[in-house]
Amino acid sequence: MIKAVIFDLGGVYFTDGTKIAIEKISKKYNLSFKSVQEILKTGSELSKLYRKGEITFKEFWDKVKNLLKIKADNKELNQIWVESYEPIQGTIEIIKQLKEKGIRIYYLSDNVKERVKYLQAKFNFLENFVEGVFSNEAHITKKEGVGVFKLALEKTNDKPEDVAYIDDKEEYVETAKKLGIKAICFKSPKQLEEEFKNLGIL
């Protein structure tokens, strides 16, 4: 019986803002998508350091500019990134339905404090969650294995088999499954709704 659902944020609750930002930055500065992606994608070494809270906002963007060989303002680059995230209304509606059925909602996100602060100020998204885990606070990312998923389970205080996890990246879905969590790879709100119906919770 599913008692709690843990949601990834980017690509599930919000649009895949990193991918959108990579497209915008590559176009704005006449760079190849691949070159920008290698630096900004979630799993890059530089990105992991920032998402784990091990380097500062300035250190991250200064390094990005150096690697891309561009002249730009850090705040401008960051604004492109954070503004690329928009809530996916279909996901929010599903969360509301789950909450009405007494299911507790948590988040697990490889995220940086500046982006969380911006998105919370703009969308007040945290009101939809009991609590959760941000990589910048836990100092560990999903890329590093089951560790951060164990932290998320501790937040729910439930057995793994009583928890569902939703992520748009298959890699992290498979990691969650290693702990016995019922993990689902997100494609769309409609697909997720069907998955939840199959689990008997919608």
Side-chain angles (χ1 to χ4, degrees):
M1 182 68 180
I2 300 298
K3 299 175 181 176
V5 180
I6 305 170
F7 282 82
D8 171 42
L9 294 180
V12 177
Y13 185 96
F14 292 102
T15 50
D16 188 346
T18 296
K19 183 180 178 183
I20 295 167
I22 289 167
E23 291 171 351
K24 290 178 180 176
I25 290 170
S26 59
K27 186 175 181 180
K28 181 177 177 67
Y29 296 98
N30 196 27
L31 301 163
S32 72
F33 178 87
K34 188 175 181 180
S35 66
V36 181
Q37 182 185 44
E38 284 304 305
I39 295 166
L40 288 184
K41 67 182 180 182
T42 306
S44 76
E45 288 306 311
L46 182 61
S47 183
K48 277 194 290 184
L49 289 173
Y50 188 30
R51 290 167 190 266
K52 287 167 70 173
E54 293 183 358
I55 58 174
T56 66
F57 173 93
K58 185 178 187 303
E59 287 170 331
F60 174 73
W61 286 114
D62 282 352
K63 187 69 173 176
V64 168
K65 290 186 296 185
N66 184 53
L67 290 168
L68 292 176
K69 297 179 173 58
I70 59 172
K71 290 184 178 181
D73 179 72
N74 289 347
K75 289 182 180 179
E76 182 181 359
L77 287 170
N78 186 66
Q79 201 66 16
I80 292 171
W81 196 16
V82 298
E83 285 181 350
S84 296
Y85 287 84
E86 291 287 337
I88 298 172
Q89 291 304 320
T91 299
I92 295 171
E93 287 304 313
I94 289 171
I95 286 174
K96 288 178 181 177
Q97 291 176 50
L98 292 172
K99 290 169 77 173
E100 286 172 2
K101 291 182 177 291
I103 293 169
R104 289 170 285 112
I105 309 299
Y106 298 80
Y107 58 83
L108 173 57
S109 177
D110 286 350
N111 222 317
V112 300
K113 65 179 182 179
E114 289 84 7
R115 188 165 76 217
V116 172
K117 183 178 179 180
Y118 173 87
L119 294 175
Q120 175 62 9
K122 187 172 183 181
F123 301 114
N124 194 28
F125 72 96
L126 291 175
E127 70 172 0
N128 286 317
F129 300 90
V130 177
E131 59 176 328
V133 178
F134 287 126
S135 59
N136 70 84
E137 295 173 346
H139 308 298
I140 185 173
T141 67
K142 299 175 199 174
K143 198 76 176 174
E144 294 166 86
V146 298
V148 76
F149 292 89
K150 288 181 178 178
L151 292 178
L153 275 177
E154 287 175 14
K155 294 283 186 182
T156 72
N157 200 30
D158 292 306
K159 296 176 182 177
E161 60 267 27
D162 294 334
V163 176
Y165 174 66
I166 318 302
D167 202 301
D168 61 320
K169 294 180 175 61
E170 187 67 44
E171 174 187 356
Y172 303 144
V173 167
E174 292 305 315
T175 304
K177 285 180 178 178
K178 290 177 183 177
L179 293 175
I181 298 169
K182 290 181 171 64
I184 297 167
C185 191
F186 179 87
K187 305 294 182 187
S188 70
K190 183 175 176 57
Q191 166 258 346
L192 183 59
E193 187 176 21
E194 288 302 315
E195 296 275 9
F196 281 150
K197 284 179 180 177
N198 291 337
L199 285 175
I201 59 175
L202 272 187

